[in-house]
Structures are given as structure tokens and as C-alpha cells.
């Protein structure tokens, strides 16, 4: 997933100032944390929404 994000930013950098992402089955939110770190490296503003079936997983993800 991280390489897909980096490729997208590289290809669309001129037109990419803010990205909105939905992470389906976010689980503990570790993938969201990884995405945030990548976007910071490329100085891209991002809004990420994570959804998951498990309320307990969302509680864990919310602490990130």
C-alpha cells in the first residue's frame, strides 16, 4: 500500500495539495499511521477516515 501512495504522489505532485483517504477495515490503525508518515515526507496535507466492523479495533485505532 505504501508504494501505491508514493507513486500516486510522485505522478500527481503538481496537482496534489490535499488528499482524502478512506481506510476500509482499518483494524488497529497502523496502516493509517504509516500513510500519515508518508504524506508528511512529501509535504502533502491529508484527511484519513478509517472504518472497521470491530468496535474494539476502532477503539485501539482511535488512540493513534
Amino acid at each position: 500500500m505504501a508504494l501505491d501512495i508514493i507513486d500516486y504522489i510522485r505522478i500527481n505532485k503538481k496537482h496534489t495539495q490535499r488528499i482524502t483517504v478512506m481506510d476500509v477495515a482499518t483494524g488497529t490503525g497502523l496502516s493509517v499511521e504509516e500513510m500519515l508518515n508518508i504524506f508528511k515526507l512529501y509535504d502533502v496535507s491529508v484527511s484519513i477516515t478509517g472504518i472497521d466492523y470491530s468496535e474494539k479495533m476502532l477503539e485501539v485505532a482511535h488512540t493513534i
Side-chain angles (χ1 to χ4, degrees):
M1 174 177 22
L3 292 177
D4 293 337
I5 294 169
I6 293 169
D7 286 342
Y8 179 85
I9 293 170
R10 285 183 181 157
I11 292 167
N12 297 290
K13 182 62 177 167
K14 292 179 185 175
H15 308 289
T16 304
Q17 295 178 2
R18 181 163 182 79
I19 294 177
T20 302
V21 175
M22 176 173 281
D23 184 30
V24 178
T26 196
T28 60
L30 292 177
S31 59
V32 171
E33 185 176 31
E34 181 182 346
M35 283 187 273
L36 288 171
N37 290 332
I38 291 168
F39 287 121
K40 283 180 190 176
L41 287 174
Y42 288 90
D43 196 30
V44 174
S45 178
V46 64
S47 172
I48 301 177
T49 301
I51 60 172
D52 199 284
Y53 178 76
S54 171
E55 194 172 324
K56 289 183 181 184
M57 287 288 111
L58 289 174
E59 288 173 8
V60 173
H62 187 67
T63 63
I64 290 179

